Amino acid sequence: MRDSPRLDNNACGIQNHDPRKKQMATLIVKYPDRSAENFPLARLRITIGRSARNDLCIPDPFASRVHAEVRNEGDDYIIQDLGSANGTLYNGVALEEPAKLTSGGRIQIGETEIVFSDGKYPLSSGATMITDEISSSLPEATIALASARRSAVLRREPPLRRGRRRSSAR
């Protein structure tokens, strides 16, 4: 049986989603001097470092030639520093031993940030506002996201009065 996507027999040719099929985990590499790149974790073990011999080569002067590895162990992904000169941070903490990666977890190697996505839920750079049938956005439901840390701040304002004004003259 082929692993090619199934298509509906309609004119649109919309691809069916098979929930039994495991989504591929990825590393989102955020370079300090250029746009981000996605690196799919298609192998059981990948190495990360400055050398071109790594699976994921990062041109960062603060990265060791072979800096760290990410390996798949069952349903988990593990990050391990490989004795690098400047160390590896995971969610702001220096790695002393292997650590389990969680979706949205941040790996810091030199000046390069790498975000892990387990593939179950896509990580996005924006936000989605879910509303009811009111067409305009309401100030009392405004949410602002700080871009650096993605911390949410909820701003509440008193609800707007939408009734008719009564005139004093009859």
Side-chain angles (χ1 to χ4, degrees):
M1 179 175 212
R2 293 180 57 181
D3 272 342
S4 62
R6 297 185 321 254
L7 297 179
D8 287 336
N9 290 329
N10 62 20
C12 297
I14 297 173
Q15 193 172 358
N16 284 336
H17 173 70
D18 187 355
R20 296 170 295 173
K21 198 168 197 173
K22 186 178 178 182
Q23 298 295 318
M24 183 170 296
T26 58
L27 295 176
I28 303 160
V29 186
K30 298 181 176 184
Y31 299 102
D33 60 346
R34 64 179 196 239
S35 62
E37 294 177 2
N38 289 341
F39 184 86
L41 297 175
R43 298 175 51 186
L44 290 176
R45 177 182 180 266
I46 64 127
T47 56
I48 305 168
R50 196 179 69 239
S51 170
R53 293 184 180 192
N54 289 290
D55 301 301
L56 176 54
C57 177
I58 54 173
D60 190 313
F62 300 104
S64 294
R65 283 183 289 240
V66 180
H67 196 101
E69 74 175 8
V70 173
R71 61 182 181 270
N72 182 309
E73 294 181 359
D75 289 336
D76 297 328
Y77 286 87
I78 309 295
I79 178 83
Q80 181 174 2
D81 185 87
L82 297 176
S84 65
N86 293 319
T88 303
L89 300 179
Y90 181 60
N91 291 332
V93 178
L95 286 177
E96 301 294 327
E97 56 188 40
K100 179 182 170 186
L101 294 173
T102 57
S103 194
R106 299 181 180 282
I107 303 163
Q108 187 78 37
I109 295 177
E111 294 179 344
T112 305
E113 182 181 58
I114 302 169
V115 179
F116 174 73
S117 171
D118 62 8
K120 294 177 185 170
Y121 305 103
L123 299 176
S124 65
S125 59
T128 302
M129 182 173 174
I130 302 171
T131 63
D132 53 13
E133 295 180 17
I134 299 172
S135 63
S136 63
S137 64
L138 301 174
E140 69 268 15
T142 302
I143 297 176
L145 296 176
S147 62
R149 294 278 184 194
R150 297 204 193 290
S151 59
V153 177
L154 179 63
R155 182 181 66 178
R156 294 194 182 263
E157 294 179 6
L160 298 174
R161 304 269 180 197
R162 295 192 184 225
R164 284 189 189 173
R165 275 192 148 161
R166 292 187 177 190
S167 85
S168 56
R170 285 192 172 195

